[in-house]
Amino acid sequence: MMEPLFQAKVQCPQCDAEFRTSRVRPSFKKSIKSDTDFCLHYKDLNPDYYVVRICPFCGFAGTENSKEHLTLQQKNAFKEKIGAKWSYKDCGGERQWDDALYAFKLALVCAQAVNEKGRVTASLLHHIAWLYRHQGNEEQEKRFLQYALEEYIRTFETEASEMNNARLMYLIGELHRRLKNFNQAVKWFARVVNDKQIMDAGMIRACREQWQAVREEMQEQRLQLEEDVQEL
């Protein structure tokens, strides 16, 4: 019988060493539902547990979207903050929830140390929020959703030309909605719907649906939208 995990070979961008890390075979990735902020829930194994690759030799952690090469300045910054304290540790085997949380938080610290692109840092923060969601820890989930939201907004302001703007704007609106910032949520959803340059029909439809969800949530709580966002 085929094992659900397989070993992939990776080269560390920090120390150039080759190491192996576990991945979930595509045939074992069975999602049962998707949340409105793209968080997938899985029947058995959660492939997200294996997104972060950790070099056992130097401790550098990243994902497929992290920098492939680091400058000397970035390597020195990493060594100062993390590498100097690292002892050999193999994180390439099977992971539980705690292992996944450790991996993502280590990747976040590494990303901050080497001044990684905002979209990478935002994604790591968002994934940490999802891990807490899977555990039902609403307080920590909201804490990291707030961090992710702030990073997504910074990313929109600095890296928008390199990304799918409609998806990024939708995400900013959706995280505002989840954090009960209803007026801000509707403003971001409206930007997607009203921007004639955006042709992403799926994201436009999603923004309309979530704008309606905001209205219903506010009606339940007897809250009023600001005048300039009453209609979409």
Side-chain angles (χ1 to χ4, degrees):
M1 186 177 169
M2 191 181 287
E3 290 291 319
L5 298 179
F6 70 96
Q7 292 273 297
K9 195 186 288 183
V10 181
Q11 185 168 18
C12 177
Q14 164 65 24
C15 70
D16 297 323
E18 280 196 346
F19 63 95
R20 293 186 177 275
T21 188
S22 291
R23 302 295 300 272
V24 177
R25 294 185 194 279
S27 57
F28 285 87
K29 294 179 182 179
K30 295 173 182 172
S31 64
I32 49 177
K33 71 168 183 170
S34 174
D35 294 340
T36 47
D37 64 343
F38 309 127
C39 173
L40 291 172
H41 297 258
Y42 292 90
K43 185 180 177 184
D44 300 308
L45 272 177
N46 187 339
D48 282 358
Y49 285 10
Y50 301 92
V51 166
V52 174
R53 301 96 67 96
I54 302 173
C55 176
F57 303 103
C58 73
F60 187 83
T63 70
E64 287 183 349
N65 298 318
S66 301
K67 295 179 189 294
E68 289 184 19
H69 304 286
L70 300 178
T71 64
L72 184 60
Q73 186 179 6
Q74 288 168 331
K75 289 184 176 187
N76 288 336
F78 164 80
K79 282 177 189 171
E80 186 183 327
K81 292 183 181 174
I82 301 143
K85 305 163 196 161
W86 182 262
S87 298
Y88 180 90
K89 183 179 181 181
D90 188 355
C91 304
E94 188 176 344
R95 291 178 183 170
Q96 303 302 320
W97 183 88
D98 290 350
D99 304 315
L101 185 67
Y102 170 80
F104 272 106
K105 288 191 173 180
L106 180 59
L108 177 63
V109 175
C110 290
Q112 291 167 336
V114 302
N115 197 24
E116 184 58 88
K117 284 186 178 291
R119 63 175 180 268
V120 175
T121 310
S123 177
L124 292 169
L125 289 162
H126 202 173
H127 272 83
I128 293 169
W130 290 346
L131 284 174
Y132 282 119
R133 184 180 304 169
H134 292 316
Q135 288 290 95
N137 188 333
E138 195 174 324
E139 183 183 349
Q140 289 288 10
E141 179 198 340
K142 286 186 173 177
R143 178 178 163 227
F144 278 91
L145 283 180
Q146 181 64 45
Y147 293 151
L149 172 60
E150 291 164 8
E151 195 66 17
Y152 278 131
I153 291 171
R154 271 196 292 273
T155 301
F156 179 78
E157 291 167 352
T158 57
E159 300 172 32
S161 60
E162 304 169 41
M163 303 184 69
N164 177 339
N165 266 1
R167 183 184 170 93
L168 179 57
M169 290 159 76
Y170 165 82
L171 261 181
I172 292 171
E174 177 56 17
L175 294 199
H176 270 305
R177 185 190 73 80
R178 285 177 172 268
L179 293 165
K180 310 296 184 190
N181 308 326
F182 295 128
N183 286 292
Q184 283 299 319
V186 170
K187 285 176 182 175
W188 282 94
F189 293 145
R191 287 177 75 168
V192 176
V193 173
N194 296 328
D195 188 336
K196 301 295 182 238
Q197 291 183 303
I198 291 177
M199 310 300 285
D200 189 330
M203 284 297 97
I204 293 170
R205 183 172 62 253
C207 284
R208 288 188 182 280
E209 288 170 357
Q210 293 312 97
W211 178 78
Q212 186 57 37
V214 169
R215 290 195 68 170
E216 289 168 6
E217 212 167 335
M218 291 188 75
Q219 283 169 359
E220 282 176 17
Q221 297 179 35
R222 291 186 165 82
L223 298 173
Q224 189 69 35
L225 275 172
E226 292 173 6
E227 280 187 30
D228 60 337
V229 291
Q230 289 278 347
E231 298 299 328
L232 194 60

